[in-house]
Amino acid sequence: MSASAVARSRVFSGYRRLFRARKILFQNDTVALQESRKAIKQEFVKQRQAPVSQLDMLLLMIDEAEDMMKHGIVQGQLNDNTGHYEVKVQPQHVEGQLLPVLEPITSATVQQLTEPEEVKVTSTKGSASN
């Protein structure tokens, strides 16, 4: 198998891996599935004529994007009864990490982000002036 055939095989493999990762990440979300399909295809078309010298860097970017979609992003769904978003954190989202501290997003936390409390800075004189 020639070097260009091997490279082409690796690129197509990465393309398929990204498509599988997006299907898992955005299952039941047709808009996100459509938009992610367009974005992935657009990026591959844009890089189609990239020089061979950049191939390893582009393949690394594919690996990182796949890893991010599989492990770094969770999708929440609005619970119509409570008005809160529910997120199901899977084991693959925390592999190799300490368990994350997750706080619920409530109207109070949103208010804290949009209207932070005023912070007062005060100083005191120290007694260590020897």
Side-chain angles (χ1 to χ4, degrees):
M1 197 180 250
S2 72
S4 64
V6 171
R8 185 180 181 125
S9 173
R10 291 174 61 196
V11 169
F12 283 129
S13 172
Y15 189 76
R16 288 189 301 270
R17 287 185 294 128
L18 288 177
F19 266 69
R20 282 192 294 270
R22 77 176 241 295
K23 282 183 179 181
I24 293 167
L25 177 61
F26 299 123
Q27 64 186 1
N28 301 323
D29 187 342
T30 54
V31 173
L33 283 168
Q34 290 171 350
E35 293 302 315
S36 62
R37 180 179 53 73
K38 287 179 195 174
I40 292 169
K41 184 175 181 179
Q42 179 181 5
E43 190 61 30
F44 273 77
V45 168
K46 184 171 84 175
Q47 300 296 341
R48 187 176 205 160
Q49 301 301 322
V52 176
S53 61
Q54 291 184 357
L55 183 61
D56 286 335
M57 180 195 65
L58 293 170
L59 290 169
L60 179 62
M61 290 172 61
I62 291 170
D63 294 340
E64 290 174 351
E66 179 192 22
D67 184 65
M68 181 181 62
M69 286 194 290
K70 284 181 162 182
H71 304 109
I73 301 173
V74 293
Q75 188 176 33
Q77 294 199 352
L78 179 63
N79 180 325
D80 293 328
N81 296 329
T82 64
H84 299 138
Y85 282 88
E86 295 177 352
V87 177
K88 295 180 182 172
V89 178
Q90 302 294 328
Q92 66 266 24
H93 296 122
V94 292
E95 284 178 355
Q97 301 176 19
L98 296 175
L99 291 177
V101 177
L102 300 176
E103 296 181 23
I105 299 174
T106 64
S107 57
T109 55
V110 171
Q111 184 176 5
Q112 286 176 347
L113 294 173
T114 58
E115 300 171 15
E117 295 179 21
E118 185 176 323
V119 177
K120 286 187 176 182
V121 178
T122 60
S123 66
T124 59
K125 295 189 182 214
S127 60
S129 59
N130 291 335

